[in-house]
Amino acid sequence: MTDDAKLADVRLTELPKAAGGLAAIASTMRHLARDSGLVRGGKALLAINQPDGFDCPGCAWPEAAGLTHPLVRAPGDAHFRVSTWDAAIGVIADELHAAGPDQTALYTSGRTSNEAAFLYQLVGRMFGTNNFPDCSNMCHESSGVALGEQIGVGKGTVTLDDFAHADLILVIGQNPGTNHPRMLSTLRDAARRGATIVSINPLREVGLARFSHPQHPLDVLGHSTALATEFVQIPIGGDQAFFLGIGKAVVEAGAVDATFLADHVDGYDAYRAHVHATPWPLIVARAGVDEVTIRRIAQRYLTSRATIACWAMGLTQHKHAVATIQEVVNVMLLRGNIGRPGAGLCPVRGHSNVQGDRTMGIDHAPPLAFLDRLGETFGFAPPRAHGLDTAATIAAMERREVRAFVALGGNFLAASPDTERTRVALESCALVASIATKLNRTHLHPGARGVILPCLGRTERDVRSTGAQFVTVEDSMSMVHRSQGVLPPASPELRSEPAIIAGLARALADRLAPPDRGILPTPPIARVPWAELADDYDRIRDLIASVVPGFADFNTRVRTPDGFQLPNVGRDRSFATIGGRAKLAIGIPPDLTLPPGRLRMMTIRSHDQYNTTIYGLDDRYRGVLGERRVIFMNARDMVERHLVERQLVDLISEWTERAHGDAITTERIVRRFIVVPFELPRGNCATYFPEANPLVPLESVADRSNTPTSKSVVIRVVACSPVDA
Ligand SMILES: Nc1nc2c(c(=O)[nH]1)N[C@H]1C(S)=C(S)[C@@H](COP(=O)(O)OP(=O)(O)OC[C@H]3O[C@@H](n4cnc5c(=O)[nH]c(N)nc54)[C@H](O)[C@@H]3O)O[C@H]1N2
Ligand SMILES: Nc1nc2c(c(=O)[nH]1)N[C@H]1C(S)=C(S)[C@@H](COP(=O)(O)OP(=O)(O)OC[C@H]3O[C@@H](n4cnc5c(=O)[nH]c(N)nc54)[C@H](O)[C@@H]3O)O[C@H]1N2
Ligand SMILES: [Mo]
């Protein structure tokens, strides 16, 4: 390094030995105090996950309202102005009407309740579009595609109780210590009972090493439980080859469950031939894990009577994500580890209702059977052509083929890939409207018109003319239960999501069927009793019961203390939706060789953030305080590039596309990131989401699920010149 290259002022600390404990309580309380006022926050904390409380919105932090009136920005205005509800909703209805259904996109983030999601997809489809991009497209879409093909349902198959009976729990590409803290107590109980937990991850995440329970007095005083028995430090993207290797070892050992395969699974002969034909050296080279280790984990798997495989974004956000997840499913099918106690598949979801939103029809490629039932129930012909997902929506905006954009929650700009392009795409729209609990970056980059509608958060009481309402959500284990806010609303102006959507539906119906239309028949959208639905959510649930399978007697069953569980053709081993048999998949693992000098970058979460909402700049589990624009690098990769700890660097991603035989490379850059040495595999590096999103090329998506490859971006690291620094 040159003498005058500047070092950043960032504090790097020792990594803590355990996750949870007093520090975690202190941190949660700090955020509650800052967000909601300590009194509101304290009360909210007590009500989280109680039978009569609201569901933990993924990380137990209540939302701050921060918004109390509808806001509208007119064309040419520099600022938003306070508006009335009618006027603001009228602007959205006008713009949707002008753009038409094909040029409208309706985004959903995963906190939306079942009731709101159902109304939202209904109004969108009655308007005439399947353009329902959602956060799932960037999240577990790859899991949904992989599982849908292999077991006939795009969801996990385990229940919480299975964790009490598993011998082996694989935690693959997931950091529960930060992102699923409630899962840690489940893992701790499993570990105490003697279950083996194997973490497969490029990082030795502290939260998986040891855990002290914040509600357990002894734990808080410093006792902690060892969690992961074993840690496999896999390079980014090595999982497909790794699991092919496990499968090969199982087959070679003659340890498959032949009865289960014969009775329930298609494709074993082809699979066996495929693993025999794939040599160990190729598997080892592509997994980046040595054969001894692969065989050791395979041995653990062979001796386990019941195994659960959990995974999250470390598997879903790669070009080969679908094939990788299918290789995990293959391994599980080989020994019948699906649909029996203590065994199964567990894609661990993010947002509290992202799974339920999909069940309710938030889907750009909805099953035709769903559309048929929707059409029968509401007397209309839903559009059947596939709509746009998240990446396709941004590309369509760039081509001026999406003109009106409505977001039910979320932060589309900051969460999407290729931030700069997404910003320009949003700004090119005629309308960007958001229904939100708090302001975020997306709202600051509207199109010609911008509308922001403030809604009640999940923690707030929702009282309609028929009385206090509750909503429902579905968790990662397909349990449907109630969620009811306990706090007084931050402002009497706030409306609930179902009420806002019903209001939009009526305004749209007015435009599509003006009162002076003469003898023309009333269109279906004008025949739905939107106002009554918004006043009594039981009526929405009755409609859901008649459209969505598994929701019969919805209103009765959801009033039981724990709610109810949806049927699952994987768990019941019927595989009824795919002809009665599960499928083994054949895949060839990718060659991960990088061009000289390049690194493969994953974008990950820190402790003090919830997706695009950053609560603090510390990541105490990774020992970085006060700064998020950091790049974690292997020390030898640093030396090779003459970089030192805390040096300022620019990160440049490269994306090559082949068009008409020509290769065209585009570059994206983020400046002044800080180098932090970290124990990760050679050739790999990590940055934080969303700071590094400008580097993720819009076209770099997973095969078949179209999920942005946020965990696999090829970059080079360049020292900032002394002038920059
Ligand atoms: N506090 C908090 N909780 C959250 C969220 C939050 O932002 N903050 N977000 C919520 C949401 S929407 C989601 S989807 C979940 C996300 O939960 P996670 O999936 O745990 O989140 P990430 O930080 O993206 O971490 C992915 C993990 O995958 C590892 N990884 C990366 N690439 C690979 C790979 O190629 N192979 C393997 N085996 N591992 C890899 C990373 O090292 C990291 O440990 O969390 C939810 N909960
Ligand atoms: N590079 C990179 N990009 C990623 C990821 C990654 O790992 N790396 N992860 C991806 C993943 S897994 C996901 S899920 C997406 C997340 O994408 P989004 O879901 O779009 O993003 P969030 O940050 O969760 O959205 C937060 C906003 O939602 C609004 N909100 C919160 N609660 C409510 C509510 O109850 N109702 C309403 N109406 N609004 C509410 C608030 O305005 C808040 O600012 O990001 C994806 N992007
Ligand atoms: Mo997510």
Side-chain angles (χ1 to χ4, degrees):
M1 186 193 55
T2 51
D3 285 347
D4 44 10
K6 189 160 170 215
L7 296 185
D9 184 20
V10 55
R11 270 200 299 152
L12 306 179
T13 66
E14 292 277 296
L15 301 191
K17 299 223 162 19
L22 276 179
I25 300 179
S27 163
T28 304
M29 290 311 291
R30 249 195 341 267
H31 299 311
L32 284 172
R34 190 182 312 157
D35 253 17
S36 342
L38 193 53
V39 180
R40 271 166 65 88
K43 188 165 176 199
L45 195 62
L46 292 175
I48 289 172
N49 300 322
Q50 303 298 316
D52 297 325
F54 53 91
D55 74 297
C56 159
C59 70
W61 286 330
E63 312 86 74
L67 263 173
T68 51
H69 289 272
L71 300 172
V72 172
R73 200 190 75 162
D77 272 9
H79 301 288
F80 280 91
R81 295 172 203 279
V82 170
S83 165
T84 64
W85 277 98
D86 279 353
I89 287 180
V91 169
I92 303 178
D94 284 341
E95 292 293 341
L96 261 53
H97 191 214
D102 292 346
Q103 302 216 351
T104 292
L106 304 170
Y107 179 71
T108 311
S109 172
R111 277 198 197 174
T112 296
S113 64
N114 288 334
E115 290 74 7
F118 184 79
L119 288 189
Y120 192 57
Q121 62 82 33
L122 177 62
V123 60
R125 295 200 163 104
M126 289 190 130
F127 179 51
T129 188
N130 279 322
N131 291 342
F132 289 105
D134 78 316
C135 69
S136 224
N137 302 146
M138 301 183 266
C139 186
H140 266 296
E141 192 74 55
S142 305
S143 307
V145 171
L147 296 175
E149 279 179 14
Q150 284 186 289
I151 64 166
V153 55
K155 303 179 183 182
T157 66
V158 295
T159 64
L160 213 43
D161 188 53
D162 287 317
F163 284 83
H165 298 101
D167 284 349
L168 172 65
I169 301 169
L170 303 172
V171 181
I172 316 158
Q174 190 204 345
N175 180 19
T178 284
N179 297 316
H180 304 95
R182 272 191 277 154
M183 183 178 166
L184 286 187
S185 15
T186 305
L187 292 178
R188 179 204 53 181
D189 294 346
R192 286 199 175 154
R193 146 181 97 61
T196 299
I197 298 171
V198 175
S199 165
I200 300 163
N201 200 306
L203 301 181
R204 189 186 291 276
E205 300 284 21
V206 168
L208 263 173
R210 297 194 76 79
F211 170 54
S212 55
H213 197 298
Q215 274 145 29
H216 194 290
L218 278 180
D219 280 0
V220 170
L221 293 176
H223 296 253
S224 62
T225 307
L227 287 185
T229 320
E230 183 143 11
F231 164 57
V232 178
Q233 187 163 38
I234 196 156
I236 298 170
D239 307 81
Q240 188 182 344
F242 179 83
F243 279 94
L244 184 61
I246 302 280
K248 184 175 170 73
V250 171
V251 171
E252 284 178 357
V256 300
D257 179 342
T259 313
F260 177 75
L261 291 177
D263 291 350
H264 297 291
V265 184
D266 280 342
Y268 180 60
D269 289 345
Y271 179 85
R272 190 185 45 203
H274 176 55
V275 296
H276 282 319
T278 312
W280 277 107
L282 181 132
I283 290 175
V284 166
R286 297 193 171 185
V289 177
D290 60 67
E291 188 178 330
V292 173
T293 303
I294 300 178
R295 285 188 181 278
R296 192 174 61 245
I297 302 301
Q299 196 54 36
R300 288 194 184 277
Y301 179 62
L302 292 182
T303 51
S304 157
R305 282 163 312 164
T307 300
I308 294 176
C310 307
W311 70 89
M313 297 304 102
L315 289 197
T316 64
Q317 299 173 333
H318 297 279
K319 178 161 170 45
H320 301 93
V322 174
T324 301
I325 293 160
Q326 295 200 324
E327 216 59 81
V328 175
V329 177
N330 285 345
V331 164
M332 297 292 279
L333 286 173
L334 286 181
R335 288 183 49 78
N337 273 308
I338 181 168
R340 62 181 168 83
L345 303 165
C346 185
V348 187
R349 307 278 163 169
H351 280 304
S352 53
N353 199 39
V354 62
Q355 185 162 317
D357 292 344
R358 191 47 74 83
T359 308
M360 292 299 119
I362 300 298
D363 192 344
H364 60 282
L368 295 181
F370 174 88
L371 295 179
D372 290 341
R373 282 188 300 272
L374 193 69
E376 277 160 32
T377 306
F378 293 94
F380 78 115
R384 296 172 89 81
H386 286 185
L388 302 170
D389 64 8
T390 295
T393 293
I394 299 165
M397 287 173 177
E398 289 185 332
R399 297 191 306 268
R400 303 289 193 271
E401 289 171 8
V402 162
R403 312 289 296 135
F405 176 79
V406 182
L408 180 53
N411 186 353
F412 190 80
L413 171 56
S416 292
D418 235 338
T419 316
E420 268 311 292
R421 271 172 70 184
T422 301
R423 178 183 65 75
V424 174
L426 281 169
E427 287 177 348
S428 76
C429 289
L431 170 79
V432 172
S434 298
I435 300 164
T437 51
K438 64 174 122 198
L439 284 174
N440 63 47
R441 276 183 74 191
T442 303
H443 310 143
L444 303 178
H445 297 277
R449 286 175 202 273
V451 179
I452 304 169
L453 301 177
C455 70
L456 293 173
R458 196 65 71 64
T459 54
E460 289 168 316
R461 270 201 295 270
D462 181 0
V463 183
R464 309 286 305 164
S465 70
T466 60
Q469 304 293 315
F470 64 85
V471 293
T472 63
V473 295
E474 173 188 343
D475 67 19
S476 293
M477 320 265 165
S478 305
M479 290 292 301
V480 179
H481 52 84
R482 284 173 293 161
S483 175
Q484 189 161 17
V486 291
L487 301 177
S491 152
E493 274 292 308
L494 299 179
R495 290 192 182 172
S496 73
E497 289 180 347
I500 293 170
I501 296 160
L504 174 61
R506 283 199 302 168
L508 209 48
D510 285 349
R511 268 98 187 144
L512 295 169
D516 57 359
R517 71 192 178 284
I519 57 158
L520 290 174
T522 311
I525 191 171
R527 294 199 299 257
V528 177
W530 299 107
E532 282 99 85
L533 295 179
D535 246 8
D536 181 359
Y537 301 171
D538 275 2
R539 296 193 54 175
I540 307 177
R541 284 184 284 270
D542 284 338
L543 292 170
I544 293 173
S546 54
V547 172
V548 189
F551 283 83
D553 280 332
F554 191 5
N555 273 308
T556 314
R557 287 194 294 157
V558 82
R559 282 179 163 84
T560 56
D562 296 327
F564 62 96
Q565 187 159 35
L566 292 173
N568 183 302
V569 299
R571 191 173 52 244
D572 69 19
R573 290 189 166 187
S574 72
F575 309 112
T577 46
I578 49 167
R581 291 172 73 81
K583 322 270 180 252
L584 287 161
I586 304 288
I588 297 170
D591 178 353
L592 298 174
T593 314
L594 289 167
R598 301 326 191 246
L599 297 173
R600 181 166 279 112
M601 176 185 83
M602 55 182 175
T603 57
I604 56 177
R605 292 159 168 79
S606 82
H607 204 70
D608 287 1
Q609 78 182 84
Y610 197 89
N611 294 339
T612 65
T613 306
I614 311 300
Y615 293 93
L617 298 178
D618 296 349
D619 188 351
R620 61 181 182 286
Y621 288 169
R622 300 199 184 96
V624 180
L625 302 183
E627 187 50 76
R628 288 178 51 92
R629 291 177 69 86
V630 298
I631 172 169
F632 296 100
M633 288 180 71
N634 176 295
R636 282 160 64 199
D637 287 331
M638 287 169 54
V639 171
E640 214 172 54
R641 289 164 180 74
H642 311 289
L643 299 173
V644 298
E645 179 175 308
R646 292 189 288 130
Q647 185 165 349
L648 288 172
V649 291
D650 293 342
L651 313 181
I652 301 165
S653 73
E654 298 166 351
W655 176 249
T656 303
E657 258 186 300
R658 263 158 244 289
H660 315 296
D662 294 332
I664 301 165
T665 301
T666 49
E667 293 196 339
R668 292 155 178 82
I669 186 164
V670 294
R671 296 184 192 281
R672 300 173 63 82
F673 272 53
I674 300 163
V675 174
V676 175
F678 211 75
E679 194 204 317
L680 36 61
R682 281 293 312 259
N684 288 181
C685 64
T687 50
Y688 289 122
F689 152 54
E691 282 78 359
N693 282 40
L695 295 177
V696 186
L698 183 62
E699 284 75 19
S700 178
V701 289
D703 296 338
R704 297 196 284 151
S705 67
N706 220 30
T707 296
T709 62
S710 307
K711 296 287 186 277
S712 193
V713 181
V714 177
I715 66 161
R716 55 182 206 271
V717 181
V718 184
C720 287
S721 66
V723 184
D724 296 346

